[in-house]
Amino acid sequence: KYTNAPTSVLINLSNLNRGMLQCIVVLMGSSGLIAGCSFGGRFYSLEDTWHPDLGEPFGVMHCVQCYCETQRGRKSKVLGKVSCKNVKRDCPEPSCDDPVLLPGQCCKTCPKGEVDRKQAEAVFDGFEYFQEKEKEDDLHKSYNDRSYLSSEDISSGESRTDFVAVLTGVTGSWLPSSSGVARARFSLTRTSLTFSITYQRIERPSRVAFLDSDGNTAFEYKTPMRDSDMICGVWKNLPQSHVRQLQAEQLRVTMTTATGRREQIEGKIIKHRALFAETFSSTLTSEKEHSGMGGIAMLTLSDTENNLHFILILQGLIQPRQRDSPLVPIRVRLQYSQHVLREIHANVTDPDFAEVLTDLNSRELFWLSRGQLVIAVETEGPDPRHISGFITGRKSCDTIQSVMSSGDALTAGKTGGVGSAFFHLHDNGTLDYQVQIAGLSSEVVGLTIELKPRRRSKRSVLYDLAPEFDRPSGRATGSWSRLEARHIHMLLQNELFINVATAHSQEGELRGQIRGLLYSGLEAPRHEIPIPLAGQFVAPPVLTSAGGHAWVSVDERCHLHYEIVVAGLSKADDLTVSAHLHGFAEIGELGESSTNHKRLLTGFYGSQAQGVLKDISVELLRHLDRGTAFIQVSTKVNTRGEIRGRVHVPNNCEFGTRGEVEVAEFDGLFVHDPEELKKDPHTCFFESQHHAHGSLWTPNYNNCFTCSCQKRTVICDPVICPVLTCSRTIQPEDKCCPVCLDPKNMKTPERLDEHPEGCYFEGDQKMHAPGSTWHPFVPPFGYIKCALCTCKGATGEVHCEKVTCPALTCSRPVRRSPSDCCKECPEEDKPLLVHADMMQADGTRHCKFGKNFYQNSDNWHPRVPLMGEMKCITCWCDHGVTKCQRKQCPVLTCSNITRREGMCCPECQEEEEELMKVPEKKNSWRH
C-alpha cells in the first residue's frame, strides 16, 4: 500500500495470473473526495474505459482494456478501482477470408468495402440534398473533394450528441421571479459536455449550475464577466453516471445572477431530433414582467425548396389548468415590422409543436437572411398569453473556420502551401472573414467562396474575395453583406467551400471546407485569426498535400493552450500525427542543436488536437514573446516536419531565471494579503508569518527542510537526499544534497540559469535541473523514499519510478527505520550476495530488469503483465542502464498494407498474391 501521497494507490497482484490487474485509487482534493481513478499520470472518471499507455517504446496496449469501476470504501465513501484485462481473447471471428490488423486496433477486421460504404450512405438517406445522383462519367478521374463527406466525419470515435434546454423564471423559489429566458445548446463528446448559452431580459449570470436527478449540484461554472449575451463553457471529465442521466434527460441547468435582484432561471436538458438540421433559431420572450414564460424556435430550410421547417419548445405559455383539456388552441405568426406574413392555427397537446411554412417568397427569404422576421406564439381564448422573438442564424460558441490545402483541391496536389480562414456571422446576415494564404507556387488569381461542384468543370461561385486580397501580406479581410438565407443555411450545415486559384492552377491550388469547430474551452479561436501551418515553412521546405492552422495563447499562470486543425493528409500520412512546439534563437536555424527547446504537445489521430502545456521553460516563453517559436506537425512520412508555422504570443512570463517562475507562476493559487490570511480558518502561523493552506516554503531555521501548511497544521520535513552511485561527490553551497563529479557514472547537474528548461515538479512546486534525481515531496506526507524522480533535460519531463529493492536471502528481513523503503537483512544474518559477481563495484556494471539480472551487452525481449513477451521490443544492458527500443519499421508507399500474425511491421500486399488468392476462393465456393 503506497500511502505516502495524497493519491493513495493499492495494487492487487493476487489476480495477476488470472489476467486481471487491479488498482484502487482515491484522489483527495482541497474540496474533499473526488471519485475517479488515476492511471499513468491521467485522471479517469468513474466507469471510464481506456487502453493503458506504457510510454515509449511500449506505447498503447490496445489489447489491454482498463475500467474505472465504482467501489464503496470506509464511511461509504465512493472510490475508483482500476481493473485491467486482456481483451484479445474476446475478439470476434472475422467473417472474411483475409482479415487485416489495422493500426491502433487489437482485433483483426475485414477490409473496408461495400458494407462500410452503405453504412455511411444510410446516415443521409432521409436528406434531400444527398439524394441527387451523379453519373460517374460526368466526374473527371482527378476530381477530389473528399473533405465534403467521408466515413471519418461520422465515425463513432468522433461522434457527438446534441442537447438543448429552455431556461425560464423559477416558480416557487426563494429567489424573485425572473423575466429572463435563455436557450442552451450542449454537445457531448466522449467525457466532455460543451455548452453555448444565449440569454435575454436578464443581467449576465454569475454562475451556471448543473443539477443531477436528486437536485444536487453536479457541476458549477463561474461565468467570466464579459460584455456579451453568450456564455461558453465546458464540463470536462463528465462521470459516466451523469452521462447516463444526461442521456435519460434527468439533468437540469440553472443560471443565477450575482447583482441586483439575484434572479434565477432554470430548465431541463433534453435531446431533440431538430438539433441536427437547425440553421436558424429564435428565443421567445414575453413583454410581461416576471411572467415565467419563454420558448425557443429551431428552424431550417428545405435542401431543395424554399420551405421553412420549425419546431417550438414552449415553457409557461400553457397554463396548468389548460393541460387538463386534451387540446390547447394556439396561433403561430410569421411577422415583419408588425405586419403578419403567415399565420398558422393549431391545437397542441404538449409544449412541443412542429410545422412548416411552405414556399417562402423572395422578400420573406431576404428578411429571414437579415434577421428581421419575427416568430410569435399566442394562446387563443379570453386570456391570451403571448411570446415572440427575432429569427437569426443559429448562434453557438463554435468557430466557423477553414483550412485550405492542396490535398483537398479539386485536382489534388502536393505544393506545401496553405490557406487559413476565420469567419463570424452576425445577426443581420453579414459574414466577416479573415483569410491568409502562404507558401503558394505562383501568384493568386482567384479567391472565392463556392458550393460543392456537381462537375469539376462547373464550379459554383457564390462570392469573390479577390478584391479584398492584399498580395504583399497574403491576406484578405472584409465582410460579405449580401448572404442569402440559403447561403446562411448552407454555411451552418458545413456545405460551403473556399477556393484559391493561382497562375499555375487556374481551377484551384488550395481548397477547404468551411466548417464549425466545436468549442473546446479555448477562447482564442472565437476572436483571433489562427497561425497558418505549411510545408513551405519547414526547413528544408516540404512539398506536402497537407495544411493546417493553430491557435495558441498563454494564460496568467504562464500555461500554454493550443488547438490545431490539419487538412489534406493522405490516408498513409494520417495514421500517426504528432505536434511539437519549437523555439530557437533565430528564425530559420532549426537544426539538431535546436531540440533543446523542443516540446511534445500531443500525439493525435484524425484532423484535430488540443491541450495545455504547463511546465514551459522561461527560454521557450521568451521565444513565444519574441515571435521566434514555431509549431510543427510531423508524420511518419515526414518525421522532421510535415507542416510548420511561426508563433508569436506576447506574454509577461519572462523572469530572468526559472527560480523566480516557481514563485510567480503559483502566486495566484494562494492568498497573500495578510489581513485576508488572518480571516482564513485554514491559515497556518509559523515563524511570525501567516501561510495559506496548501502553500510550501523553506523555513528560516534550516534551508534543508520543506514546510507545508495543511489546515492550520505546519508539517516540516527534512530534505531526503537520493543515494548516489558515484565515487566522487561535492556539496554545493546552495544545495542540501551532494552531487556527483564522476563523469563515468553520472553527469554533474547543470545550473538552472545555464540550462533554463529544467523540470517543474508539482509535488514540491520547485524547478529541478536537467539530469538531477530526487525523492518526491508530497504534502502532507513529506518526502517519499520509495520513489525516485529524474528530470529529463531534453524534454522537460519528470519521470518517477518506484525504488527497486534488492533481493534478500535471509528469512527475517527488517526495516531499520519507518521511513526506509527497503527492508534489510540483520547484520548477523547477512550472507554473501548471490549475484556478487554482478555487483562488484570495480567491475562491469550489470542490469536488473523485473526479477532478472543481465550482464553488460545482454539483450532480451521484455515481458509485460497481461501481454506476455513483447517480441517487437528489444532491451539491452548498457553499463548498468537498461535501454529498450521498438523495432524500426520501414516507411511503406504502397496502397495495400497488411500485417501478418506474429510480425512486428506491416508489409505491402503484392498484387500477384491477391491474384493467386482469387482462384482459391473460386474453388472453395464450388464445394
Side-chain angles (χ1 to χ4, degrees), residues 236-311:
K236 296 184 178 180
N237 296 321
L238 195 67
Q240 285 298 315
S241 58
H242 289 141
V243 171
R244 287 197 297 268
Q245 291 187 24
L246 178 67
Q247 299 281 11
E249 300 183 355
Q250 296 175 346
L251 293 185
R252 299 183 68 84
V253 60
T254 68
M255 296 201 310
T256 309
T257 61
T259 59
R261 301 177 62 253
R262 286 291 306 276
E263 299 179 67
Q264 178 176 312
I265 55 178
E266 180 179 323
K268 182 180 180 181
I269 303 176
I270 61 173
K271 283 188 287 189
H272 208 289
R273 62 188 183 276
L275 290 169
F276 175 78
E278 179 192 20
T279 50
F280 295 89
S281 65
S282 177
T283 300
L284 312 179
T285 62
S286 172
E287 295 180 354
K288 292 184 179 180
E289 292 292 329
H290 319 309
S291 64
M293 293 188 298
I296 62 172
M298 296 179 284
L299 309 96
T300 188
L301 284 174
S302 298
D303 287 323
T304 57
E305 298 176 344
N306 293 328
N307 299 333
L308 185 64
H309 301 256
F310 67 89
I311 290 181

Side-chain angles (χ1 to χ4, degrees), residues 70-81:
T70 305
Q71 194 173 75
R72 293 283 178 179
R74 296 178 183 177
K75 299 180 181 180
S76 299
K77 292 182 177 179
V78 179
L79 312 177
K81 183 180 75 173

Side-chain angles (χ1 to χ4, degrees), residues 34 115 138 325 435 694 900:
I34 303 174
V115 175
D138 292 339
S325 59
V435 183
R900 291 190 292 172

Side-chain angles (χ1 to χ4, degrees), residues 352-512:
D352 284 20
F353 173 69
E355 191 53 88
V356 57
L357 300 172
T358 60
D359 297 326
L360 267 65
N361 58 42
S362 59
R363 288 187 307 164
E364 292 169 333
L365 289 171
F366 175 81
W367 292 327
L368 175 64
S369 69
R370 297 298 180 266
Q372 297 173 344
L373 288 185
V374 171
I375 187 168
V377 184
E378 186 179 67
T379 59
E380 298 186 25
D383 184 22
R385 298 162 67 84
H386 176 93
I387 56 176
S388 62
F390 283 95
I391 303 173
T392 65
R394 185 191 70 221
K395 297 180 181 179
S396 78
C397 300
D398 299 349
T399 301
I400 304 175
Q401 52 84 49
S402 178
V403 175
M404 294 91 82
S405 67
S406 55
D408 286 332
L410 295 182
T411 303
K414 292 187 176 184
T415 66
V418 69
S420 173
F422 166 72
F423 303 88
H424 177 72
L425 180 65
H426 294 274
D427 290 348
N428 63 1
T430 299
L431 183 69
D432 294 340
Y433 58 84
Q434 295 186 62
V435 183
Q436 50 187 337
I437 301 167
L440 294 181
S441 60
S442 57
E443 183 181 0
V444 174
V445 297
L447 182 59
T448 51
I449 295 177
E450 304 179 358
L451 301 176
K452 180 182 185 294
R454 289 308 179 187
R455 295 171 180 79
R456 189 178 68 88
S457 59
K458 294 184 178 180
R459 290 166 44 208
S460 301
V461 176
L462 294 181
Y463 186 72
D464 185 9
L465 290 74
E468 305 299 329
F469 181 69
D470 179 61
R471 285 183 171 79
S473 64
R475 294 195 174 194
T477 303
S479 298
W480 180 7
S481 59
R482 295 186 179 181
L483 256 74
E484 298 178 6
R486 172 69 56 194
H487 301 156
I488 296 175
H489 171 81
M490 300 183 76
L491 173 73
L492 298 178
Q493 287 283 63
N494 301 335
E495 294 174 2
L496 298 185
F497 297 81
I498 185 166
N499 196 77
V500 181
T502 61
H504 291 168
S505 301
Q506 295 286 332
E507 287 299 312
E509 181 174 327
L510 304 176
R511 188 175 178 86

Side-chain angles (χ1 to χ4, degrees), residues 326-345:
L327 298 174
V328 177
I330 65 170
R331 180 168 50 221
V332 181
R333 290 172 173 170
L334 189 67
Q335 301 176 176
Y336 169 73
S337 187
Q338 302 299 322
H339 298 288
V340 178
L341 306 176
R342 306 285 183 105
E343 184 171 283
I344 297 175
H345 294 264

